[in-house]
Amino acid sequence: MIGKLKGVVDSYGEDFVILDVHGVGYVVHCSARTLQRLPPTGEAAELAIETHVREDMIRLYGFRADAEREWFRLLQTVQGVGTRVALGVLSVMEPGDLATAIATGDKGAVARAPGVGPRLAARLVAELKDKAPAFAPVDPALIQLTGAVKANTAPQPVADAISALVNLGYPQVQASAAVAAALKGAGEGAAAMEAKTLIRLGLRELAR
């Protein structure tokens, strides 16, 4: 099995790169995000590889980091998710963002991936929610806050601040993360913060 390839970029296709390793050209299928971050033709590149072997085909999938490869494997443990859908998810979301979205139950973010409808997004969140924090440092405070917002048990200023940031165009998970960071930074004074203060601090977090 091939676990890693290091060579020179020979050419690009729609969803693959041909990597020249000592004169042998390997066709490596990648997510759109990975392809965009690889160097131009003629320059050196290194990819972590997942090898899929079938009776009639051997196909290589390439990743810039081990975390992306681990998510590629994990996504396929969910019924209805094959290699194409897994690459589609990783094409629109960084591994860390994907972990946060799943851990916080943000089905809308997951559903933005090609080939993932609302039903499959819900299944991904439900089946992988307990596993997501192990694949990225998801802040427990964010998970707790998101759950409180969904259950309508979050303090009103917190709920209003998150709603305001979402109305400004920020995704739910980013808005929640920004407010959670603002609350953590405030320490003991968090309980007395008004919505307008949380919005201002949340925008500051989002601008970092």
Side-chain angles (χ1 to χ4, degrees):
M1 292 293 186
I2 299 173
K4 183 177 75 172
L5 286 175
K6 186 176 183 180
V8 175
V9 175
D10 180 87
S11 59
Y12 285 100
E14 183 178 352
D15 65 347
F16 65 86
V17 59
I18 296 180
L19 202 60
D20 186 326
V21 182
H22 303 301
V24 178
Y26 292 89
V27 177
V28 185
H29 296 267
C30 306
S31 69
R33 189 179 294 273
T34 291
L35 289 174
Q36 291 168 3
R37 296 183 178 183
L38 286 174
T41 301
E43 294 192 12
E46 181 176 332
L47 290 169
I49 299 295
E50 177 77 0
T51 306
H52 279 212
V53 180
R54 297 181 180 176
E55 291 183 1
D56 59 341
M57 177 183 65
I58 297 176
R59 179 165 287 194
L60 305 179
Y61 297 90
F63 311 92
R64 293 180 65 252
D66 288 341
E68 186 185 17
R69 180 171 59 184
E70 290 303 317
W71 269 107
F72 179 71
R73 294 169 176 168
L74 186 63
L75 286 166
Q76 291 178 76
T77 65
V78 177
Q79 183 181 359
V81 178
T83 57
R84 184 182 296 274
V85 171
L87 283 183
V89 172
L90 293 169
S91 291
V92 299
M93 302 186 79
E94 294 277 6
D97 293 336
L98 176 58
T100 300
I102 289 178
T104 58
D106 189 354
K107 297 186 289 290
V110 180
R112 288 202 301 268
V116 180
R119 184 174 298 178
L120 182 54
R123 190 185 307 147
L124 282 164
V125 168
E127 295 188 21
L128 301 181
K129 188 171 184 178
D130 293 337
K131 301 176 183 178
F135 285 79
V138 182
D139 190 345
L142 173 57
I143 299 176
Q144 183 179 3
L145 176 61
T146 304
V149 171
K150 289 183 178 179
N152 293 321
T153 58
Q156 196 60 46
V158 172
D160 289 345
I162 293 174
S163 178
L165 293 176
V166 170
N167 289 336
L168 288 173
Y170 293 100
Q172 176 83 30
V173 65
Q174 289 186 14
S176 297
V179 173
L183 289 168
K184 180 180 280 189
E188 295 181 358
M193 296 181 79
E194 297 181 354
K196 61 181 181 182
T197 303
L198 284 171
I199 294 170
R200 176 171 53 81
L201 294 176
L203 287 170
R204 184 180 299 172
E205 292 291 336
L206 289 164
R208 289 185 178 182

